[in-house]
Amino acid sequence: MGYITYINLLNPLWWLSVGIILFKGFAFVDAAIRRDGAYRDADKKTKTFWLVLLGAALGLDLLFGANFIGSFLTLGGLVAAIVYMVDVRPAIKALTGGRGGKNDRRNMGPYGPW
């Protein structure tokens, strides 16, 4: 193991940067697996909007590094990922029953869920 790699592994800011990149990656993948109609049904922005926004945020961090102390791009992308995870994702999951691609109606009775 090289000297630079060893120092990075001991640096808590490096771990925080890796966590930010993983969080943005999870948000992007989650947005990609949700069906397009669920975004409209939940009265949120379109799937394309979220994929472009989250993909740009992730791509910029992968290209330039997640420097959350001095980079407004990293912080802006992190805010976008947080908004997706706490607002858009729960609304879509409520409509699709927690499933990504289709509306699973296994626990639906004639008058609603049971």
Side-chain angles (χ1 to χ4, degrees), residues 49-66:
F49 171 82
W50 285 107
L51 287 178
V52 168
L53 186 65
L54 295 172
L58 178 62
L60 288 172
D61 280 352
L62 291 175
L63 189 62
F64 298 117

Side-chain angles (χ1 to χ4, degrees), residues 2 18 21 27 29 36 40-41 47 79-81 89 91 100 103 109-111:
V18 170
I21 290 173
V29 169
D36 191 27
R40 286 189 305 270
D41 294 343
K47 180 177 183 174
V79 168
R89 184 175 187 249
N103 194 1
Y111 303 110

Side-chain angles (χ1 to χ4, degrees), residues 105-114:
R105 299 175 81 72
R106 284 185 288 177
N107 292 331
M108 291 295 287
Y111 303 110
W114 51 276

Side-chain angles (χ1 to χ4, degrees), residues 60-82:
L60 288 172
D61 280 352
L62 291 175
L63 189 62
F64 298 117
N67 181 9
F68 59 92
I69 292 175
S71 176
F72 289 110
L73 293 175
T74 298
L75 292 176
L78 182 60
V79 168
I82 291 171

Side-chain angles (χ1 to χ4, degrees), residues 5 7 10-11 17 27 39 55 57 68 70 114:
T5 307
I7 290 176
L10 295 177
N11 186 356
S17 297
Y39 290 87
F68 59 92
W114 51 276

Side-chain angles (χ1 to χ4, degrees), residues 16 19 22 37 53 62 65 78-80 84-85 88 93 102 104 109 113:
L16 191 56
L22 291 175
L53 186 65
L62 291 175
L78 182 60
V79 168
Y84 174 80
M85 293 297 287
V88 178
K93 282 181 72 171
K102 61 179 181 169
D104 191 8

